[in-house]
Amino acid sequence: MEQFPTQQGPIGLFDSGYGGLTILEKMRSLMPQYDYLYLGDNARAPYGTRSFDVVYEFTRQSVKKLFDMGCPLVILACNTASAKALRSIQTKDLPLWNPDMRVLGVIRPTVEQIGNLTKTRHVGILGTEGTIQSKSYPIEISKLYPDIIVSGKACPLFVPLVENTEYDSDGADYFVKKYLDELLDKDSRIDTIILGCTHYPLLLPKIKKYVPEGTKIVAQGEIVAQSLQDYLDRHTDMESLITKGNNCEFFTTESVEKFRKSASVFLKEKTIHATRISLE
Ligand code: DGL
């Protein structure tokens, strides 16, 4: 059985592809002192249409890899992985690997903020098919805010549009309008829409075009970064394990060149050096 020592190291961030970079960017600007290690499973993205078992297995492999590379704490910077794999990893795998290590997701911190944002108490969620089918958002929201009515809309073409850098195209306009119309047809009283996929912030300018004025659009980056900072303030044992050298390293399961090009769009940084790794 695999076990990992309690170790000092960077914060690990995992996403199926590039979406988690929208979370990484906000974490680095709020907490620049820490070291970070980003892993994108680009060779097997997107995860959004994959089954529970497959998303769990792929995510588990990625988390193990990040622990292997020295991270004491891993953030699943992916809603699909948070919805379909986080709980099993926390309850089944972590106790065996090392109960002092931590894996955190992005859904809970996002949900915690929702009660303060919606006035009508009608909320919409945009996400991958996997996230919407899992019902993780309505389930978590009902635990904290039972009065809120939640409608979800799967947007299967958003991730391919973003991964192929087509988020600014006319094709993107067509699908953004279509999905938003379908969401608002379900419930016209929605005043707050959660971007429940870490890829979607790149579509934000288009999303704003097709919602009624005054609708709040909630992107997760700042929320998740703030929630991690609060977590580390409260958990000083974990905080002391995070190395503080202001470094960030990138790993991908696909071509390094492709990662460098696409990641620079997400991070607006020109020089991104990535290393290719294999997870199987
Ligand atoms: N970025 C991921 C999320 O937040 C989804 C991308 C995918 O479908 O792989 O759900």
mmCIF file of all heavy atoms in Angstrom, residues 114-148:
data_model
loop_
_atom_site.group_PDB
_atom_site.id
_atom_site.type_symbol
_atom_site.label_atom_id
_atom_site.label_comp_id
_atom_site.label_asym_id
_atom_site.label_seq_id
_atom_site.Cartn_x
_atom_site.Cartn_y
_atom_site.Cartn_z
ATOM 1 N N ILE A 114 -22.510 32.095 -1.558
ATOM 2 C CA ILE A 114 -23.717 32.330 -2.341
ATOM 3 C C ILE A 114 -24.841 32.995 -1.549
ATOM 4 O O ILE A 114 -25.538 33.888 -2.038
ATOM 5 C CB ILE A 114 -24.196 30.980 -2.948
ATOM 6 C CG1 ILE A 114 -23.257 30.624 -4.083
ATOM 7 C CG2 ILE A 114 -25.621 31.006 -3.455
ATOM 8 C CD1 ILE A 114 -23.052 31.731 -5.086
ATOM 9 N N GLY A 115 -24.987 32.575 -0.285
ATOM 10 C CA GLY A 115 -26.070 33.118 0.548
ATOM 11 C C GLY A 115 -25.979 34.630 0.704
ATOM 12 O O GLY A 115 -26.987 35.312 0.882
ATOM 13 N N ASN A 116 -24.749 35.173 0.633
ATOM 14 C CA ASN A 116 -24.577 36.623 0.799
ATOM 15 C C ASN A 116 -24.779 37.375 -0.502
ATOM 16 O O ASN A 116 -24.868 38.598 -0.505
ATOM 17 C CB ASN A 116 -23.154 36.942 1.284
ATOM 18 C CG ASN A 116 -22.786 36.119 2.487
ATOM 19 O OD1 ASN A 116 -23.632 35.852 3.334
ATOM 20 N ND2 ASN A 116 -21.538 35.683 2.553
ATOM 21 N N LEU A 117 -24.824 36.661 -1.626
ATOM 22 C CA LEU A 117 -24.852 37.349 -2.919
ATOM 23 C C LEU A 117 -26.251 37.452 -3.520
ATOM 24 O O LEU A 117 -26.603 38.464 -4.112
ATOM 25 C CB LEU A 117 -23.926 36.624 -3.909
ATOM 26 C CG LEU A 117 -22.444 36.646 -3.535
ATOM 27 C CD1 LEU A 117 -21.640 35.753 -4.459
ATOM 28 C CD2 LEU A 117 -21.911 38.076 -3.609
ATOM 29 N N THR A 118 -27.055 36.396 -3.398
ATOM 30 C CA THR A 118 -28.357 36.421 -4.054
ATOM 31 C C THR A 118 -29.410 37.154 -3.204
ATOM 32 O O THR A 118 -29.489 36.944 -1.992
ATOM 33 C CB THR A 118 -28.859 34.995 -4.391
ATOM 34 O OG1 THR A 118 -30.215 35.075 -4.823
ATOM 35 C CG2 THR A 118 -28.752 34.043 -3.208
ATOM 36 N N LYS A 119 -30.162 37.999 -3.885
ATOM 37 C CA LYS A 119 -31.259 38.697 -3.184
ATOM 38 C C LYS A 119 -32.572 37.949 -3.429
ATOM 39 O O LYS A 119 -33.387 37.805 -2.535
ATOM 40 C CB LYS A 119 -31.399 40.132 -3.732
ATOM 41 C CG LYS A 119 -30.204 41.023 -3.482
ATOM 42 C CD LYS A 119 -30.472 41.934 -2.291
ATOM 43 C CE LYS A 119 -29.324 42.830 -1.918
ATOM 44 N NZ LYS A 119 -28.008 42.216 -1.826
ATOM 45 N N THR A 120 -32.756 37.467 -4.678
ATOM 46 C CA THR A 120 -34.023 36.789 -5.010
ATOM 47 C C THR A 120 -34.066 35.382 -4.422
ATOM 48 O O THR A 120 -35.120 34.756 -4.412
ATOM 49 C CB THR A 120 -34.197 36.667 -6.539
ATOM 50 O OG1 THR A 120 -33.124 35.868 -7.060
ATOM 51 C CG2 THR A 120 -34.216 38.032 -7.219
ATOM 52 N N ARG A 121 -32.912 34.842 -4.003
ATOM 53 C CA ARG A 121 -32.741 33.463 -3.532
ATOM 54 C C ARG A 121 -32.969 32.467 -4.672
ATOM 55 O O ARG A 121 -33.345 31.314 -4.449
ATOM 56 C CB ARG A 121 -33.636 33.107 -2.324
ATOM 57 C CG ARG A 121 -33.695 34.137 -1.231
ATOM 58 C CD ARG A 121 -32.352 34.576 -0.750
ATOM 59 N NE ARG A 121 -31.740 33.740 0.276
ATOM 60 C CZ ARG A 121 -30.483 33.886 0.698
ATOM 61 N NH1 ARG A 121 -29.719 34.844 0.173
ATOM 62 N NH2 ARG A 121 -29.974 33.097 1.629
ATOM 63 N N HIS A 122 -32.737 32.906 -5.906
ATOM 64 C CA HIS A 122 -32.785 32.022 -7.081
ATOM 65 C C HIS A 122 -31.407 32.091 -7.736
ATOM 66 O O HIS A 122 -30.972 33.166 -8.166
ATOM 67 C CB HIS A 122 -33.857 32.472 -8.077
ATOM 68 C CG HIS A 122 -35.258 32.236 -7.585
ATOM 69 N ND1 HIS A 122 -36.108 31.314 -8.149
ATOM 70 C CD2 HIS A 122 -35.937 32.795 -6.556
ATOM 71 C CE1 HIS A 122 -37.266 31.326 -7.492
ATOM 72 N NE2 HIS A 122 -37.188 32.217 -6.519
ATOM 73 N N VAL A 123 -30.733 30.939 -7.792
ATOM 74 C CA VAL A 123 -29.344 30.906 -8.238
ATOM 75 C C VAL A 123 -29.195 29.943 -9.419
ATOM 76 O O VAL A 123 -29.850 28.897 -9.453
ATOM 77 C CB VAL A 123 -28.444 30.459 -7.048
ATOM 78 C CG1 VAL A 123 -27.051 30.083 -7.501
ATOM 79 C CG2 VAL A 123 -28.376 31.563 -5.994
ATOM 80 N N GLY A 124 -28.350 30.311 -10.370
ATOM 81 C CA GLY A 124 -28.058 29.432 -11.512
ATOM 82 C C GLY A 124 -26.629 28.932 -11.449
ATOM 83 O O GLY A 124 -25.736 29.638 -10.969
ATOM 84 N N ILE A 125 -26.423 27.695 -11.916
ATOM 85 C CA ILE A 125 -25.063 27.139 -11.961
ATOM 86 C C ILE A 125 -24.760 26.756 -13.398
ATOM 87 O O ILE A 125 -25.534 26.016 -14.017
ATOM 88 C CB ILE A 125 -24.931 25.814 -11.151
ATOM 89 C CG1 ILE A 125 -25.633 25.878 -9.799
ATOM 90 C CG2 ILE A 125 -23.484 25.377 -11.040
ATOM 91 C CD1 ILE A 125 -24.969 26.726 -8.794
ATOM 92 N N LEU A 126 -23.632 27.205 -13.911
ATOM 93 C CA LEU A 126 -23.141 26.725 -15.202
ATOM 94 C C LEU A 126 -21.973 25.784 -14.894
ATOM 95 O O LEU A 126 -21.115 26.119 -14.064
ATOM 96 C CB LEU A 126 -22.647 27.880 -16.073
ATOM 97 C CG LEU A 126 -23.655 28.990 -16.411
ATOM 98 C CD1 LEU A 126 -22.958 30.085 -17.231
ATOM 99 C CD2 LEU A 126 -24.853 28.439 -17.178
ATOM 100 N N GLY A 127 -21.949 24.624 -15.533
ATOM 101 C CA GLY A 127 -20.850 23.701 -15.266
ATOM 102 C C GLY A 127 -20.744 22.658 -16.358
ATOM 103 O O GLY A 127 -21.514 22.668 -17.327
ATOM 104 N N THR A 128 -19.799 21.744 -16.181
ATOM 105 C CA THR A 128 -19.686 20.639 -17.143
ATOM 106 C C THR A 128 -20.843 19.669 -16.895
ATOM 107 O O THR A 128 -21.507 19.724 -15.855
ATOM 108 C CB THR A 128 -18.359 19.877 -16.955
ATOM 109 O OG1 THR A 128 -18.363 19.286 -15.652
ATOM 110 C CG2 THR A 128 -17.162 20.801 -17.108
ATOM 111 N N GLU A 129 -21.035 18.749 -17.836
ATOM 112 C CA GLU A 129 -22.094 17.753 -17.653
ATOM 113 C C GLU A 129 -21.888 16.997 -16.343
ATOM 114 O O GLU A 129 -22.832 16.743 -15.601
ATOM 115 C CB GLU A 129 -22.080 16.760 -18.819
ATOM 116 C CG GLU A 129 -22.828 17.294 -20.019
ATOM 117 C CD GLU A 129 -22.671 16.409 -21.252
ATOM 118 O OE1 GLU A 129 -21.928 15.413 -21.214
ATOM 119 O OE2 GLU A 129 -23.293 16.760 -22.260
ATOM 120 N N GLY A 130 -20.642 16.656 -16.061
ATOM 121 C CA GLY A 130 -20.331 15.885 -14.857
ATOM 122 C C GLY A 130 -20.713 16.637 -13.594
ATOM 123 O O GLY A 130 -21.324 16.077 -12.679
ATOM 124 N N THR A 131 -20.352 17.909 -13.543
ATOM 125 C CA THR A 131 -20.639 18.703 -12.345
ATOM 126 C C THR A 131 -22.150 18.865 -12.175
ATOM 127 O O THR A 131 -22.676 18.713 -11.068
ATOM 128 C CB THR A 131 -19.953 20.087 -12.452
ATOM 129 O OG1 THR A 131 -18.549 19.871 -12.541
ATOM 130 C CG2 THR A 131 -20.266 20.969 -11.261
ATOM 131 N N ILE A 132 -22.855 19.150 -13.261
ATOM 132 C CA ILE A 132 -24.302 19.366 -13.162
ATOM 133 C C ILE A 132 -24.998 18.045 -12.797
ATOM 134 O O ILE A 132 -25.826 18.005 -11.881
ATOM 135 C CB ILE A 132 -24.869 19.970 -14.475
ATOM 136 C CG1 ILE A 132 -24.229 21.339 -14.759
ATOM 137 C CG2 ILE A 132 -26.400 20.078 -14.427
ATOM 138 C CD1 ILE A 132 -24.424 22.410 -13.701
ATOM 139 N N GLN A 133 -24.617 16.952 -13.467
ATOM 140 C CA GLN A 133 -25.254 15.657 -13.165
ATOM 141 C C GLN A 133 -24.993 15.207 -11.729
ATOM 142 O O GLN A 133 -25.836 14.565 -11.117
ATOM 143 C CB GLN A 133 -24.713 14.576 -14.101
ATOM 144 C CG GLN A 133 -25.493 14.496 -15.400
ATOM 145 C CD GLN A 133 -24.740 13.664 -16.438
ATOM 146 O OE1 GLN A 133 -23.803 12.924 -16.100
ATOM 147 N NE2 GLN A 133 -25.125 13.810 -17.699
ATOM 148 N N SER A 134 -23.832 15.546 -11.197
ATOM 149 C CA SER A 134 -23.508 15.114 -9.826
ATOM 150 C C SER A 134 -24.412 15.781 -8.791
ATOM 151 O O SER A 134 -24.519 15.311 -7.666
ATOM 152 C CB SER A 134 -22.057 15.469 -9.489
ATOM 153 O OG SER A 134 -21.939 16.875 -9.248
ATOM 154 N N LYS A 135 -25.045 16.889 -9.162
ATOM 155 C CA LYS A 135 -25.898 17.678 -8.256
ATOM 156 C C LYS A 135 -25.134 18.187 -7.020
ATOM 157 O O LYS A 135 -25.723 18.514 -5.996
ATOM 158 C CB LYS A 135 -27.128 16.874 -7.804
ATOM 159 C CG LYS A 135 -28.036 16.422 -8.944
ATOM 160 C CD LYS A 135 -29.493 16.408 -8.492
ATOM 161 C CE LYS A 135 -30.470 15.963 -9.532
ATOM 162 N NZ LYS A 135 -30.314 16.458 -10.872
ATOM 163 N N SER A 136 -23.808 18.247 -7.108
ATOM 164 C CA SER A 136 -23.015 18.683 -5.949
ATOM 165 C C SER A 136 -23.390 20.086 -5.506
ATOM 166 O O SER A 136 -23.482 20.359 -4.300
ATOM 167 C CB SER A 136 -21.528 18.681 -6.294
ATOM 168 O OG SER A 136 -21.119 17.390 -6.578
ATOM 169 N N TYR A 137 -23.602 21.000 -6.456
ATOM 170 C CA TYR A 137 -23.951 22.373 -6.052
ATOM 171 C C TYR A 137 -25.299 22.439 -5.343
ATOM 172 O O TYR A 137 -25.363 22.970 -4.223
ATOM 173 C CB TYR A 137 -23.885 23.321 -7.261
ATOM 174 C CG TYR A 137 -22.498 23.874 -7.464
ATOM 175 C CD1 TYR A 137 -21.640 23.315 -8.396
ATOM 176 C CD2 TYR A 137 -22.030 24.937 -6.692
ATOM 177 C CE1 TYR A 137 -20.363 23.805 -8.571
ATOM 178 C CE2 TYR A 137 -20.744 25.431 -6.857
ATOM 179 C CZ TYR A 137 -19.907 24.868 -7.802
ATOM 180 O OH TYR A 137 -18.632 25.358 -7.955
ATOM 181 N N PRO A 138 -26.415 21.918 -5.944
ATOM 182 C CA PRO A 138 -27.678 21.987 -5.206
ATOM 183 C C PRO A 138 -27.612 21.292 -3.846
ATOM 184 O O PRO A 138 -28.162 21.789 -2.851
ATOM 185 C CB PRO A 138 -28.694 21.296 -6.124
ATOM 186 C CG PRO A 138 -28.004 21.010 -7.401
ATOM 187 C CD PRO A 138 -26.582 21.436 -7.307
ATOM 188 N N ILE A 139 -26.880 20.175 -3.778
ATOM 189 C CA ILE A 139 -26.799 19.450 -2.493
ATOM 190 C C ILE A 139 -26.079 20.313 -1.449
ATOM 191 O O ILE A 139 -26.549 20.513 -0.331
ATOM 192 C CB ILE A 139 -26.093 18.082 -2.672
ATOM 193 C CG1 ILE A 139 -26.972 17.145 -3.517
ATOM 194 C CG2 ILE A 139 -25.752 17.448 -1.328
ATOM 195 C CD1 ILE A 139 -26.284 15.875 -4.005
ATOM 196 N N GLU A 140 -24.926 20.868 -1.829
ATOM 197 C CA GLU A 140 -24.155 21.680 -0.875
ATOM 198 C C GLU A 140 -24.902 22.968 -0.516
ATOM 199 O O GLU A 140 -24.899 23.399 0.638
ATOM 200 C CB GLU A 140 -22.775 22.023 -1.452
ATOM 201 C CG GLU A 140 -21.825 20.849 -1.541
ATOM 202 C CD GLU A 140 -21.542 20.207 -0.184
ATOM 203 O OE1 GLU A 140 -21.349 20.928 0.813
ATOM 204 O OE2 GLU A 140 -21.529 18.966 -0.123
ATOM 205 N N ILE A 141 -25.557 23.586 -1.514
ATOM 206 C CA ILE A 141 -26.284 24.838 -1.232
ATOM 207 C C ILE A 141 -27.445 24.550 -0.283
ATOM 208 O O ILE A 141 -27.690 25.303 0.663
ATOM 209 C CB ILE A 141 -26.770 25.506 -2.547
ATOM 210 C CG1 ILE A 141 -25.562 26.041 -3.347
ATOM 211 C CG2 ILE A 141 -27.757 26.658 -2.246
ATOM 212 C CD1 ILE A 141 -25.877 26.606 -4.725
ATOM 213 N N SER A 142 -28.133 23.423 -0.488
ATOM 214 C CA SER A 142 -29.296 23.146 0.377
ATOM 215 C C SER A 142 -28.869 22.907 1.826
ATOM 216 O O SER A 142 -29.626 23.160 2.755
ATOM 217 C CB SER A 142 -30.112 21.978 -0.161
ATOM 218 O OG SER A 142 -29.420 20.783 0.086
ATOM 219 N N LYS A 143 -27.628 22.437 2.030
ATOM 220 C CA LYS A 143 -27.157 22.234 3.415
ATOM 221 C C LYS A 143 -26.960 23.565 4.120
ATOM 222 O O LYS A 143 -27.290 23.724 5.283
ATOM 223 C CB LYS A 143 -25.817 21.488 3.414
ATOM 224 C CG LYS A 143 -25.941 20.012 3.088
ATOM 225 C CD LYS A 143 -24.554 19.382 3.242
ATOM 226 C CE LYS A 143 -24.461 18.094 2.446
ATOM 227 N NZ LYS A 143 -23.087 17.745 2.106
ATOM 228 N N LEU A 144 -26.419 24.550 3.392
ATOM 229 C CA LEU A 144 -26.099 25.835 4.030
ATOM 230 C C LEU A 144 -27.248 26.837 3.928
ATOM 231 O O LEU A 144 -27.454 27.633 4.837
ATOM 232 C CB LEU A 144 -24.854 26.453 3.378
ATOM 233 C CG LEU A 144 -23.519 25.763 3.591
ATOM 234 C CD1 LEU A 144 -22.408 26.568 2.958
ATOM 235 C CD2 LEU A 144 -23.240 25.570 5.069
ATOM 236 N N TYR A 145 -27.952 26.806 2.798
ATOM 237 C CA TYR A 145 -29.019 27.795 2.549
ATOM 238 C C TYR A 145 -30.248 27.076 1.992
ATOM 239 O O TYR A 145 -30.504 27.123 0.775
ATOM 240 C CB TYR A 145 -28.543 28.848 1.534
ATOM 241 C CG TYR A 145 -27.215 29.479 1.879
ATOM 242 C CD1 TYR A 145 -26.068 29.159 1.158
ATOM 243 C CD2 TYR A 145 -27.102 30.401 2.926
ATOM 244 C CE1 TYR A 145 -24.844 29.728 1.461
ATOM 245 C CE2 TYR A 145 -25.881 30.978 3.236
ATOM 246 C CZ TYR A 145 -24.752 30.630 2.502
ATOM 247 O OH TYR A 145 -23.544 31.198 2.810
ATOM 248 N N PRO A 146 -31.032 26.425 2.849
ATOM 249 C CA PRO A 146 -32.151 25.614 2.349
ATOM 250 C C PRO A 146 -33.217 26.431 1.616
ATOM 251 O O PRO A 146 -34.018 25.866 0.875
ATOM 252 C CB PRO A 146 -32.729 24.968 3.615
ATOM 253 C CG PRO A 146 -31.959 25.476 4.760
ATOM 254 C CD PRO A 146 -30.830 26.327 4.294
ATOM 255 N N ASP A 147 -33.213 27.752 1.789
ATOM 256 C CA ASP A 147 -34.235 28.576 1.113
ATOM 257 C C ASP A 147 -33.872 28.890 -0.340
ATOM 258 O O ASP A 147 -34.711 29.406 -1.085
ATOM 259 C CB ASP A 147 -34.433 29.894 1.883
ATOM 260 C CG ASP A 147 -33.150 30.726 1.927
ATOM 261 O OD1 ASP A 147 -32.065 30.146 2.183
ATOM 262 O OD2 ASP A 147 -33.215 31.938 1.669
ATOM 263 N N ILE A 148 -32.656 28.610 -0.760
ATOM 264 C CA ILE A 148 -32.236 29.003 -2.122
ATOM 265 C C ILE A 148 -32.667 27.950 -3.161
ATOM 266 O O ILE A 148 -32.497 26.752 -2.956
ATOM 267 C CB ILE A 148 -30.714 29.229 -2.183
ATOM 268 C CG1 ILE A 148 -30.342 30.453 -1.344
ATOM 269 C CG2 ILE A 148 -30.227 29.416 -3.622
ATOM 270 C CD1 ILE A 148 -28.868 30.817 -1.370
#
